[in-house]
């Protein structure tokens, strides 16, 4: 209205105070005010803020006032008008600052919207430094230092607002909880892996306790001989085949689901360990220990097939067993065989032999298969002599019982799993095994007869009498046979 000389403001005039070169200076100042207003408005478009809009308004009012002063038309009325509008503008600035203060919790950050890009980069660098420091503090807390009031220290160091510190504090607590949960989940995975490994009961419980100690604390595991004896109401049960086999006390802390999951994993591992022990005992009762151990360690070794290996085969049977069995009852036959085998089998196993099969009154054992033994010939002969001595002591109380005769021979044989997909057994086939059976047949009760290859392998360690080159049924070439008297 002043500039257009509209009534009622057209009655008064104002003496011009700006003349000469100052007119150009004032015009340049107006241009600069407008440019500043435009630049801050662009900042406002990128990051809307009440303070930014207040600054834009202030620059527009300053430009308008400078125009009025320069033109001097009706300046007295314009002066009051400008002050009134500017008063409202500063009230607006104050109110927007108050709102921002209530939102942030402090005066810090009120004029962040005015920052240029360089300042923004600096602020981001400070926040990055704060986050790095936060990570380091969390790592320290993971090593035993408590994370409480972590954000307060960060806020003091990096001049954060109360709201920012509060958010950071919640983030630190959340990260600490997530860290604990992750550690416990990792411990559960470790216990699950150990539960799948064939191990003894004590070994599993000891390794599982060590694996979860850092994340779950000191847990206490107690196995119960009686499911109803000494129950702890605060402990979680350990079950095996649906029955309570023990209990585990886990310190409080963290989600209860994870403590329950740990108890379940321990129950699974305990059940697997006991099942493995039962299978191991069963295998070792029906198979030679070396074969059972190989199958338990690697079930793929049960596949049909085999390989040619140099072995020493030991073949033994009872001379006169048929006549004896005709004269006594079957229970007496079983008692006699069990008494003999009870002392004969340990002699073979103690020397590293593998009992392949029992066929009535006869047994076949191998040395150097499946476990490799460079001195397999000496092991076989030593086992045969020990077996004969053990059987002799048993037979002293039963003079009517038949006695073992033993043959041993060294040579290549096909060793492996023989049978069908539904039923198979570990066995050996070849000339060396056949010759051992033939040598046994020519031995006298209580004697150990070995072939020439076994005699050559022993050298001067063996004291043996040469029996000559014997003809063996089913074999063209004669077999040199030796009767062993002692092994040095």
């Amino acid at each position: 209205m002043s500039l257009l000389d509209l009534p009622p403001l057209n009655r008064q005039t104002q003496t011009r105070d700006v003349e000469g070169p100052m007119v150009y200076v004032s015009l340049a100042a107006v241009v600069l005010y407008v440019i500043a207003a435009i630049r801050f408005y662009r900042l406002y478009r990128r990051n809307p803020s009440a303070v930014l809009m207040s600054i834009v308004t202030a620059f527009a009012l300053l430009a308008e006032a400078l125009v009025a002063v320069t033109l001097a038309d009706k300046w007295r009325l314009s002066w009051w008008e400008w002050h009134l509008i500017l008063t409202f503008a500063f009230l607006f600035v104050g109110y927007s600052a108050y709102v921002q203060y209530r939102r942030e919790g402090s005066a810090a950050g009120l004029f962040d919207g005015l920052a240029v890009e360089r300042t923004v980069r600096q602020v981001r660098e400070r926040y990055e430094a704060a986050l790095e420091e936060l990570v380091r503090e969390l790592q320290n807390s993971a090593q035993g230092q408590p994370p409480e009031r972590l954000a307060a220290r960060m806020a003091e160091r990096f001049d954060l607002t109360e709201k920012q510190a509060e958010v950071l504090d919640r983030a630190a607590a959340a990260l600490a909880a997530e860290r604990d949960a992750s550690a416990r989940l990792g411990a559960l995975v470790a216990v699950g892996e150990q539960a799948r490994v064939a191990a003894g009961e004590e070994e599993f419980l000891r390794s599982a306790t060590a694996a979860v100690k850092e994340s779950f604390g000191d847990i206490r595991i107690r196995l119960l001989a009686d499911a109803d004896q000494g129950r702890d109401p605060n402990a979680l049960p350990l079950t095996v085949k649906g029955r309570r086999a023990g209990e585990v006390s886990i310190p409080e802390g963290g989600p209860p689901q994870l403590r329950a999951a740990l108890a379940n994993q321990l129950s699974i591992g305990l059940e697997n360990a006991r099942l493995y022990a039962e299978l191991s005992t069963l295998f070792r009762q029906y198979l030679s220990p070396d074969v059972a151990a190989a199958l338990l360690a690697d079930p793929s070794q049960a596949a049909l097939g085999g390989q040619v290996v140099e072995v020493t085969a030991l073949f033994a049977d009872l001379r006169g067993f048929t006549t004896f069995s005709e004269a006594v009852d079957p229970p007496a036959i079983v008692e006699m065989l069990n008494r003999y085998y009870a002392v004969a089998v340990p002699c073979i196993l103690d020397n590293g032999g593998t009992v392949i099969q029992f066929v009535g009154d006869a047994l076949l054992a191998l040395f150097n298969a499946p476990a490799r033994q460079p001195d397999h010939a000496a092991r076989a002969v030593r086992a045969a002599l020990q077996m004969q001595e053990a059987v002799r002591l048993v037979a002293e109380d039963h003079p009517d019982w038949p006695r073992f005769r033993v043959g041993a021979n060294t040579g290549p044989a096909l060793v492996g799993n023989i049978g069908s997909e539904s039923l198979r057994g570990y066995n050996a086939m070849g000339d060396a095994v056949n010759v051992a059976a033939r040598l046994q047949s020519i031995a006298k009760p209580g004697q150990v007869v070995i072939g020439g290859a076994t005699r050559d392998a022993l050298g001067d360690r063996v004291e043996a009498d040469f029996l000559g080159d014997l003809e063996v049924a089913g074999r063209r070439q004669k077999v040199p046979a030796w009767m062993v008297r002692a092994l040095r």
Side-chain angles (χ1 to χ4, degrees), residues 300-487:
S300 64
Q301 295 189 28
L304 293 174
Q307 57 180 333
V308 176
V309 181
E310 183 182 76
V311 299
T312 297
L314 184 151
F315 207 94
D317 81 340
L318 292 172
R319 177 68 180 271
F321 175 77
T322 302
T323 303
F324 174 79
S325 61
E326 291 176 351
V328 299
D329 296 332
I333 298 174
V334 174
E335 179 188 0
M336 182 266 297
L337 291 176
N338 288 339
R339 288 286 303 276
Y340 274 163
Y341 287 144
V343 297
V345 170
C347 296
I348 296 173
L349 299 182
D350 291 345
N351 286 281
T354 300
V355 178
I356 296 300
Q357 59 184 358
F358 295 97
V359 183
D361 65 320
L363 69 85
L364 171 62
L366 290 183
F367 292 81
N368 201 39
R372 298 294 178 260
Q373 301 155 337
D375 57 341
H376 53 90
R379 289 172 178 265
V381 174
R382 186 183 304 113
L385 294 174
Q386 292 175 357
M387 183 176 69
Q388 291 287 38
E389 177 62 20
V391 168
R392 183 188 65 79
L393 295 177
V394 174
E396 287 182 352
D397 298 331
H398 303 277
D400 57 328
W401 282 8
R403 296 281 301 277
F404 272 111
R405 49 186 182 177
V406 179
N409 187 52
T410 302
L414 178 63
V415 180
N417 298 300
I418 301 171
S420 67
E421 291 294 337
S422 58
L423 184 64
R424 67 199 66 183
Y426 190 80
N427 212 326
M429 296 186 301
D431 184 65
V433 180
N434 295 333
V435 170
R438 301 294 184 243
L439 292 174
Q440 168 270 136
S441 65
I442 64 176
K444 296 180 180 180
Q447 286 185 347
V448 176
V449 177
I450 61 176
T454 305
R455 172 67 178 80
D456 295 339
L458 295 174
D460 57 2
R461 296 179 57 189
V462 64
E463 296 179 7
D465 297 331
F466 183 59
L467 301 180
D469 294 330
L470 305 179
E471 293 185 356
V472 177
R475 201 172 191 273
R476 295 181 179 179
Q477 296 180 351
K478 294 183 179 181
V479 177
W482 301 75
M483 194 275 292
V484 179
R485 290 186 287 105
L487 180 69

Side-chain angles (χ1 to χ4, degrees), residues 6-30:
L6 297 176
L9 300 180
N10 58 349
R11 298 177 182 177
Q12 299 184 24
T13 60
Q14 175 66 30
T15 305
R16 182 182 298 276
D17 291 330
V18 180
E19 295 180 343
M22 290 303 297
V23 174
Y24 300 102
V25 174
S26 63
L27 291 177
V30 170

Side-chain angles (χ1 to χ4, degrees), residues 196-199 276 279-280 283-284 287-302 370:
R196 294 196 300 267
V197 177
Y276 172 79
L279 287 176
S280 178
F283 267 48
R284 295 177 196 280
L287 295 174
S288 182
D290 288 338
V291 178
L295 290 177
L296 288 172
D298 184 9
S300 64
Q301 295 189 28

Side-chain angles (χ1 to χ4, degrees), residues 67-122:
V67 170
V69 170
T70 302
L71 298 181
D73 290 339
K74 314 299 187 293
W75 170 235
R76 291 178 180 175
L77 292 178
S78 298
W79 187 87
W80 290 106
E81 170 221 7
W82 179 77
H83 274 76
L84 182 62
I85 296 176
L86 199 59
T87 299
F88 281 106
F90 276 106
L91 288 176
F92 179 53
V93 172
Y95 177 74
S96 64
Y98 171 74
V99 171
Q100 191 79 4
Y101 171 80
R102 291 294 301 272
R103 185 180 303 165
E104 296 291 339
S106 71
L110 287 182
F111 299 96
D112 286 349
L114 306 180
V116 296
E117 294 182 359
R118 178 181 177 185
T119 307
V120 171
R121 287 196 300 270
Q122 293 176 350

Side-chain angles (χ1 to χ4, degrees), residues 57-317:
T57 304
F59 276 122
L61 291 174
L62 287 171
E64 187 270 343
L66 194 56
V67 170
V69 170
T70 302
L71 298 181
D73 290 339
K74 314 299 187 293
W75 170 235
R76 291 178 180 175
L77 292 178
S78 298
W79 187 87
W80 290 106
E81 170 221 7
W82 179 77
H83 274 76
L84 182 62
I85 296 176
L86 199 59
T87 299
F88 281 106
F90 276 106
L91 288 176
F92 179 53
V93 172
Y95 177 74
S96 64
Y98 171 74
V99 171
Q100 191 79 4
Y101 171 80
R102 291 294 301 272
R103 185 180 303 165
E104 296 291 339
S106 71
L110 287 182
F111 299 96
D112 286 349
L114 306 180
V116 296
E117 294 182 359
R118 178 181 177 185
T119 307
V120 171
R121 287 196 300 270
Q122 293 176 350
V123 171
R124 288 177 178 173
E125 290 174 358
R126 291 179 61 198
Y127 277 120
E128 290 174 0
L131 289 176
E132 291 178 359
E133 186 69 18
L134 173 64
V135 171
R136 285 194 293 270
E137 290 290 338
L138 284 176
Q139 291 175 345
N140 292 335
S141 65
Q143 299 173 358
Q145 299 183 12
E148 289 80 4
R149 304 309 303 167
L150 171 63
R153 298 195 299 270
M154 297 295 99
E156 181 179 358
R157 180 170 180 178
F158 294 98
D159 194 23
L160 304 179
T161 65
E162 293 181 6
K163 293 287 186 180
Q164 291 169 333
E166 188 177 327
V167 172
L168 194 60
D169 203 4
R170 291 198 299 267
L175 287 174
E178 184 178 356
R179 177 202 63 206
D180 293 340
S182 298
R184 295 192 173 203
L185 288 174
L188 288 176
V189 172
V191 174
E193 292 177 350
Q194 293 174 2
R196 294 196 300 267
V197 177
E201 181 177 315
E202 294 183 0
E203 180 183 353
F204 165 72
L205 294 178
R206 182 171 57 254
S207 61
T209 301
V212 303
K213 181 177 182 180
E214 184 175 351
S215 54
F216 282 89
D218 291 325
I219 67 172
R220 292 184 294 106
I221 298 175
R222 188 162 69 97
L223 301 180
L224 303 179
D226 185 353
D228 297 324
Q229 178 183 359
R231 290 190 180 183
D232 184 355
N234 297 322
L236 296 175
L238 298 178
T239 59
V240 173
K241 296 181 179 179
R243 296 181 179 180
R244 187 184 182 99
E247 58 188 23
V248 54
S249 299
I250 306 174
E252 294 292 332
Q257 296 86 348
L258 292 181
R259 296 198 298 273
L262 176 59
N264 291 335
Q265 288 283 25
L266 291 174
S267 297
I268 294 173
L270 182 62
E271 185 169 348
N272 287 346
R274 293 187 176 181
L275 178 61
Y276 172 79
E278 293 175 0
L279 287 176
S280 178
T281 302
L282 185 63
F283 267 48
R284 295 177 196 280
Q285 288 176 344
Y286 282 89
L287 295 174
S288 182
D290 288 338
V291 178
L295 290 177
L296 288 172
D298 184 9
S300 64
Q301 295 189 28
L304 293 174
Q307 57 180 333
V308 176
V309 181
E310 183 182 76
V311 299
T312 297
L314 184 151
F315 207 94
D317 81 340

